[in-house]
Amino acid sequence: MEGLITAIARRVALSLLTLLALAVFIFVATEVLPGDALDVVLSSDEIANIPPERLAQMKRELGLDRPAHERLAAFLVNAAQGDFGRTLVSKAPVAEVIAYPMRNSLALASLVLLIALPLAVLIGVAGAVWHRRLADHLLATATIIGYSIPEFVIGTLLVIGFAVLLPWFPATITVDTRAPVHELLQVSALPVATIVIGSVAYLSRLLRVGMIEALAADNIERLRMTGVPGWRVVLRHALPAAVIPCLTAMALYAASMVSGIVVVELVFAIPGLGQELVRGVARREMHVVQAIALASAMVVVVLNLLADLSIL
């Protein structure tokens, strides 16, 4: 029992250190971006005509005159308290700015996982059961193609096929950012399909490898020789043995969807974190960019921690 508690404490401490390192990296990465909020709000002619003392006062009001190490310390302390500050120009709380986009991205990612995980299990198990048969080769070829094609290419092809040639679904999402989640998901068939294709391709290949190793284990062979039905051997014994080693990789993939969904959101104009991140970079709203990046990093770290703890 003490060993288990020690292992859990060690993994939690390592996750906190990882999160701290990521927070520092995020701050440094945003610091090296050229320009600041004033460069976006004011034109070069306006900046040239503003007296230097007034320009210095404006930078001081926005906190842009403080040394980098002071801003880093303030960023770490405030982030630990869940306070990401206010936008530099509009003075709106950053938490409110990203709340609805984050909700939309999480809702989209959750729906994708609800669809992709059962499909990935079905295809992975089928490929392992039919190992080296024609069906396995066909499934393997399909998953390789699905995993190799970038998501923005898949999305573009789906738009051409099912929004232009066959106008069954909308090519872009016109729902307001604060609209109810069900309204967003009702018109998100194409973006969901885009992400599901890549997700199923990756997860099913991962599970297929684990299932092949599990089905070749000695205990599975003994169960077969004792007359246990094949479906029970596969579902009750081989599948759990194959899933457990894949938990960490699956958790990391699920976490990466929240940050990796940015490209798909831009292709389909989904009002999620992707658009808000691009808008924040364009406006040099570093607080918004830092908050989105840190929130995505927290999802990755937490899910990775949960996957590690599940196999202790």
Side-chain angles (χ1 to χ4, degrees), residues 214-226 233:
L215 289 173
D218 293 338
N219 64 315
I220 298 298
E221 291 294 334
R222 286 194 295 268
L223 288 171
R224 284 173 171 166
M225 288 187 293
T226 57
V233 171

Side-chain angles (χ1 to χ4, degrees), residues 173-202:
I173 307 301
T174 57
V175 176
D176 185 74
T177 304
R178 296 173 177 262
V181 172
H182 70 273
E183 292 185 9
L184 172 66
L185 298 181
Q186 284 175 356
V187 294
S188 299
L190 292 185
V192 168
T194 300
I195 309 171
V196 164
I197 290 173
S199 302
V200 170
Y202 173 79

Side-chain angles (χ1 to χ4, degrees), residues 5-247:
I5 295 176
T6 301
I8 293 175
R10 185 183 297 115
R11 280 170 169 77
V12 171
L14 181 60
S15 298
L16 291 176
L17 289 175
T18 302
L19 196 57
L20 175 62
L22 287 172
V24 174
F25 174 79
I26 289 169
F27 180 84
V28 173
T30 53
E31 279 293 304
V32 300
L33 292 175
D36 53 38
L38 284 181
D39 295 328
V40 178
V41 176
L42 303 176
S43 65
S44 57
D45 293 337
E46 289 175 325
I47 293 178
N49 293 327
I50 295 177
E53 54 275 8
R54 173 54 184 162
L55 189 61
Q57 180 184 356
M58 295 173 66
K59 287 182 176 291
R60 186 164 53 253
E61 292 173 351
L62 295 175
L64 301 176
D65 64 326
R66 299 168 61 191
H69 66 276
E70 290 186 10
R71 285 184 279 118
L72 172 60
F75 169 68
L76 294 177
V77 172
N78 293 334
Q81 300 173 356
D83 179 14
F84 295 102
R86 294 177 175 270
T87 56
L88 295 177
V89 178
S90 64
K91 299 299 182 181
V94 172
E96 294 182 5
V97 171
I98 69 172
Y100 283 98
M102 179 176 291
R103 180 205 64 175
N104 296 338
S105 294
L106 290 176
L108 195 65
S110 300
L111 179 59
V112 168
L113 288 177
L114 288 175
I115 298 174
L117 288 179
L119 286 177
V121 170
L122 179 62
I123 294 175
V125 170
V129 172
W130 296 329
H131 185 43
R132 294 181 180 175
R133 300 180 187 176
L134 177 60
D136 179 35
H137 293 312
L138 293 176
L139 289 174
T141 302
T143 54
I144 290 174
I145 294 174
Y147 182 63
S148 302
I149 301 177
E151 289 180 334
F152 72 90
V153 175
I154 296 176
T156 303
L157 293 176
L158 290 179
V159 168
I160 294 174
F162 299 102
V164 178
L165 299 179
L166 299 173
W168 294 348
F169 305 101
T172 57
I173 307 301
T174 57
V175 176
D176 185 74
T177 304
R178 296 173 177 262
V181 172
H182 70 273
E183 292 185 9
L184 172 66
L185 298 181
Q186 284 175 356
V187 294
S188 299
L190 292 185
V192 168
T194 300
I195 309 171
V196 164
I197 290 173
S199 302
V200 170
Y202 173 79
L203 296 175
S204 62
R205 286 180 58 81
L206 191 67
L207 186 59
R208 173 183 174 273
V209 173
M211 280 293 298
I212 291 174
E213 294 179 357
L215 289 173
D218 293 338
N219 64 315
I220 298 298
E221 291 294 334
R222 286 194 295 268
L223 288 171
R224 284 173 171 166
M225 288 187 293
T226 57
V228 177
W231 65 268
R232 180 173 294 180
V233 171
V234 172
L235 299 180
R236 295 284 299 275
H237 301 279
L239 182 58
V243 167
I244 291 176
C246 300
L247 281 177

